[in-house]
C-alpha cells in the first residue's frame, strides 16, 4: 500500500487536529486564570466563576489579550500558561481564516500543489463509481481527485460522501488544469470520461507533460471500432486502454457459451439481438474461440445492415456458418416473427443473446422468449446490475451479464496500488500491445 504523508490526511482529520489545539489552548487559559493569575485590564478574573473564565478564554481566539491586558500575579507557571494561550489562540484563528480564504480563492492549488501518490480520475459516471469502490477497499486513505464536467454535477455529492473524493468541475484535457493537479507526481491517472476524444486528448497531453506517468495511465474507450484503430499506436503502447463492452463480451463467451456448445449436439443457431459494440465483440469471440460449434447466426438490430458492414470492415466474417441479417426495431412483434421462422428453420433450440443498449428491452424480450424456448440458452446483457431482474432471471433459468459488474471484476489489483507495477485486464484485450 502506498505511503500516505501529511498532505494525504483527509479533511476531517485536519478538523480534528485543529479542534484538539483549540481545546488545549482554552484549557491553558482556564487553568492559568484558576491558578490565581489575573489580567491588568480586567481585575477579578482570577476570582471569578468558571463560566466567566471560560468566556474570557474563548475571547482570546478573537481578540488575543488586547482587551484583557497582560497576565499579572499568581504563580509563574500559571502566568506562563496564560502567555502561551495569549499567543496560541490568535494563531489558531488566523490559520483557520487563511486556509478558508485560500480555499475560496484557489482551492485546487491549495489542496494538490504538494501532494504525491494521489489518484486522479476523469469522469463521474458508472465506471468511476466502480473504480472508486474497489480503490477504497484497497486504499482507504489515499487522496482521490475526480474531475467532472457540468453535465455530471449531480453525481458530485455521491462521490464525495460515498468514496471520500475531492470533486472538481473542470476540463481534464486542459493543459493548465493538468499542471495544477501535478500529474507528474500522481500515483495513477484513470480517464473514464464519457467522451472518448476527451480521454485520448487528456492522455496525449499527460504523456507530453510527464512521460513517466503514461505507464500508470488507464484510458477507457467506449467506441470499440475506434479502439481497434488505435492498435499499435504510441498511445496504445504507453497507456493502458480498455473497453467495458469488450470485457463483458469476452467473459460471456468464455464462461457461458463455450460450455453450452460442448454440451449440445448438433451445432447451434445463435441469435444476436442487438449488434452494436457488445454484439459485435460476442461474434468476434465466437469466431475465434468456438469456430465449428455453431451453424447459423441470426443478426437482429435496428441498423443491422450498417452494423454488419462495420463488423465486416473492422473484423471480418470468418468461418463456414450461415449468416442471416434482420433489420428492424427489437420491440416490433413482426420482427420477432421473422426471428422465430429462422429459429424453426435451424431445427435446434437456439442460443439467444439479448444485447441491445436498453436494459428494459432486453429483459422484456427475455420474458417472452423464455416461455417460447424453455430449453434454449438465453443470455441477457445489462449495463448495470438490477436486483429484481437478476432474481427473475434466476427463477426463469436465464443467464444475465452485467457489463458494469464484469468491468469491476476484471480490473487487476495493480490498478489500485500506486506502488505496484501496472497489470493488464484479467480478460485480455487483443488490441492492446
Amino acid at each position: 500500500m502506498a505511503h500516505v504523508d501529511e498532505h494525504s490526511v483527509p479533511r476531517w482529520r485536519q478538523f480534528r487536529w485543529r479542534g484538539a489545539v483549540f481545546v488545549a489552548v482554552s484549557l491553558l487559559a482556564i487553568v492559568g486564570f484558576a491558578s490565581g493569575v489575573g489580567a491588568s485590564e480586567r481585575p477579578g478574573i482570577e476570582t471569578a466563576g468558571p463560566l466567566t473564565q471560560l468566556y474570557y478564554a474563548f475571547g482570546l481566539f478573537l481578540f488575543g489579550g488586547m482587551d484583557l491586558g497582560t497576565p499579572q500575579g499568581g504563580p509563574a507557571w500559571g502566568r506562563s500558561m496564560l502567555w502561551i494561550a495569549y499567543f496560541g489562540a490568535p494563531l489558531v484563528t488566523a490559520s483557520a481564516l487563511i486556509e478558508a480564504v485560500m480555499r475560496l480563492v484557489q482551492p485546487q492549488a491549495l489542496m494538490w500543489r504538494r501532494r504525491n501518490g494521489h489518484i486522479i480520475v476523469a469522469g463521474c459516471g458508472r465506471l468511476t463509481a466502480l473504480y472508486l469502490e474497489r480503490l477504497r477497499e484497497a486504499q482507504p486513505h489515499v487522496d482521490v481527485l475526480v474531475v467532472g464536467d457540468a453535465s455530471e454535477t449531480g453525481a458530485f455529492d455521491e462521490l464525495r460522501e460515498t468514496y471520500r473524493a475531492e470533486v472538481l468541475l473542470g476540463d481534464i484535457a486542459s493543459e493548465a488544469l493538468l499542471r495544477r493537479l501535478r500529474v507528474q507526481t500522481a500515483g495513477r491517472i484513470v480517464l473514464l470520461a464519457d467522451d472518448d476524444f476527451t480521454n485520448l486528448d487528456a492522455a496525449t497531453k499527460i504523456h507530453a507533460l510527464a512521460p513517466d506517468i503514461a505507464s500508470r495511465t488507464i484510458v477507457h474507450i467506449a467506441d470499440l471500432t475506434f479502439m481497434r484503430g488505435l492498435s499499435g499506436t504510441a498511445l496504445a503502447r504507453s497507456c493502458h486502454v480498455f473497453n467495458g463492452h469488450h470485457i463483458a463480451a469476452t467473459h460471456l463467451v468464455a464462461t457461458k457459451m463455450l460450455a453450452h456448445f460442448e454440451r449440445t449436439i448438433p451445432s447451434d443457431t445463435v441469435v444476436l439481438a442487438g449488434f452494436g459494440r457488445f454484439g459485435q465483440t460476442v461474434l468476434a469471440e465466437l469466431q475465434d474461440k468456438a469456430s465449428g460449434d455453431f451453424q447459423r447466426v441470426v443478426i437482429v438490430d435496428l441498423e443491422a445492415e450498417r452494423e454488419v458492414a462495420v463488423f465486416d470492415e473492422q473484423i471480418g466474417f470468418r468461418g463456414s456458418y450461415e449468416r442471416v441479417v434482420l433489420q428492424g426495431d427489437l420491440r416490433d412483434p413482426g420482427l420477432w416473427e421473422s426471428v422465430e421462422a429462422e429459429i424453426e428453420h435451424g431445427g435446434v433450440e437456439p442460443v439467444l443473446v439479448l444485447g441491445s443498449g436498453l436494459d428494459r428491452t432486453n429483459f422484456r424480450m427475455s420474458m417472452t422468449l423464455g416461455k417460447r424456448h424453455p430449453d434454449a440458452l438465453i443470455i441477457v446483457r445489462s449495463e448495470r446490475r438490477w436486483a429484481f431482474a437478476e432474481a427473475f432471471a434466476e427463477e426463469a433459468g436465464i443467464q444475465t451479464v452485467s457489463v458494469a459488474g464484469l468491468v469491476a471484476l476484471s480490473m487487476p489489483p495493480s490498478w489500485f496500488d500506486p506502488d505496484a507495477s501496472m497489470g493488464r485486464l484479467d480478460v485480455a484485450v487483443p488490441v492492446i500491445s
Side-chain angles (χ1 to χ4, degrees):
M1 184 172 292
H3 171 69
V4 181
D5 61 21
E6 72 269 20
H7 303 294
S8 298
V9 178
R11 192 180 300 176
W12 69 269
R13 292 189 179 183
Q14 298 177 23
F15 289 153
R16 187 175 66 178
W17 172 84
R18 184 171 285 116
V21 174
F22 175 86
V23 172
V25 171
S26 300
L27 287 175
L28 287 174
I30 293 170
V31 172
F33 289 138
S35 70
V37 179
S40 60
E41 301 299 325
R42 290 288 188 275
I45 293 180
E46 68 277 14
T47 58
L51 287 179
T52 301
Q53 293 177 351
L54 181 64
Y55 171 79
Y56 283 112
F58 285 169
L60 293 175
F61 291 93
L62 295 177
F63 308 108
M66 300 299 291
D67 64 330
L68 300 182
T70 58
Q72 292 184 347
W77 61 267
R79 290 194 301 275
S80 298
M81 295 178 72
L82 195 54
W83 274 116
I84 294 173
Y86 268 41
F87 284 98
L91 290 176
V92 173
T93 303
S95 67
L97 289 174
I98 290 172
E99 182 172 343
V101 171
M102 290 297 292
R103 287 186 183 277
L104 290 173
V105 174
Q106 199 175 23
Q108 289 76 44
L110 177 67
M111 290 189 295
W112 300 97
R113 65 184 178 184
R114 292 188 296 172
R115 291 185 177 179
N116 297 293
H118 53 291
I119 309 296
I120 300 173
V121 183
C124 300
R126 184 184 65 259
L127 280 177
T128 294
L130 292 171
Y131 179 80
L132 293 182
E133 182 177 358
R134 285 197 56 190
L135 177 67
R136 282 310 182 201
E137 293 175 358
Q139 296 207 92
H141 304 304
V142 70
D143 281 320
V144 178
L145 173 65
V146 178
V147 181
D149 60 33
S151 66
E152 300 174 312
T153 53
F156 284 11
D157 288 341
E158 180 184 358
L159 295 178
R160 291 189 183 104
E161 295 170 6
T162 305
Y163 305 109
R164 304 186 308 280
E166 298 287 351
V167 185
L168 166 68
L169 178 63
D171 179 9
I172 191 62
S174 166
E175 187 171 333
L177 178 61
L178 292 173
R179 291 183 184 276
R180 291 171 61 192
L181 299 182
R182 292 179 57 82
V183 295
Q184 69 274 16
T185 65
R188 287 281 183 270
I189 299 176
V190 188
L191 303 174
L192 304 176
D194 290 336
D195 183 66
D196 291 347
F197 272 64
T198 297
N199 291 335
L200 292 170
D201 196 32
T204 302
K205 291 177 180 177
I206 290 168
H207 186 273
L209 287 172
D212 292 341
I213 197 66
S215 62
R216 301 197 301 276
T217 300
I218 302 166
V219 186
H220 180 256
I221 304 298
D223 189 329
L224 193 56
T225 301
F226 189 50
M227 190 177 80
R228 294 188 189 108
L230 294 174
S231 177
T233 64
L235 184 65
R237 290 194 301 269
S238 60
C239 300
H240 295 253
V241 183
F242 76 102
N243 174 273
H245 290 88
H246 186 278
I247 295 171
T250 303
H251 187 275
L252 166 64
V253 172
T255 62
K256 299 182 184 297
M257 300 184 74
L258 293 182
H260 175 80
F261 290 148
E262 292 176 358
R263 294 193 302 266
T264 56
I265 300 175
S267 298
D268 293 77
T269 293
V270 178
V271 178
L272 299 176
F275 200 58
R277 294 171 294 180
F278 182 79
Q280 291 180 31
T281 308
V282 169
L283 183 55
E285 288 294 306
L286 288 176
Q287 291 183 157
D288 290 340
K289 307 290 175 53
S291 179
D293 290 332
F294 56 97
Q295 61 179 345
R296 304 176 78 239
V297 172
V298 181
I299 297 172
V300 188
D301 194 275
L302 182 62
E303 297 182 334
E305 294 179 1
R306 184 180 70 86
E307 297 295 352
V308 164
V310 170
F311 181 87
D312 195 22
E313 177 186 0
Q314 296 293 329
I315 300 177
F317 290 98
R318 301 187 304 276
S320 58
Y321 63 90
E322 180 184 354
R323 183 172 74 248
V324 179
V325 179
L326 299 176
Q327 181 160 301
D329 191 332
L330 295 178
R331 296 167 295 183
D332 180 8
L335 177 65
W336 283 99
E337 290 180 4
S338 300
V339 174
E340 290 291 342
E342 295 298 336
I343 292 174
E344 185 177 351
H345 177 72
V348 294
E349 284 297 313
V351 175
L352 294 155
V353 181
L354 307 178
S356 76
L358 300 174
D359 292 1
R360 180 176 300 181
T361 298
N362 293 337
F363 279 105
R364 183 187 297 131
M365 289 189 299
S366 72
M367 296 178 185
T368 302
L369 294 171
K371 296 176 182 178
R372 294 180 182 174
H373 303 280
D375 297 326
L377 173 62
I378 301 176
I379 301 170
V380 181
R381 162 255 177 138
S382 63
E383 283 296 318
R384 54 173 291 185
R385 298 187 64 178
W386 302 97
F388 78 93
E390 291 183 351
F392 161 77
E394 184 176 357
E395 288 185 17
I398 296 170
Q399 305 289 326
T400 60
V401 176
S402 167
V403 175
L406 290 176
V407 171
L409 291 173
S410 299
M411 293 178 180
S414 60
W415 284 21
F416 307 95
D417 184 356
D419 287 342
S421 59
M422 291 283 280
R424 297 298 185 188
L425 287 167
D426 293 341
V427 180
V429 181
V431 300
I432 302 177
S433 57

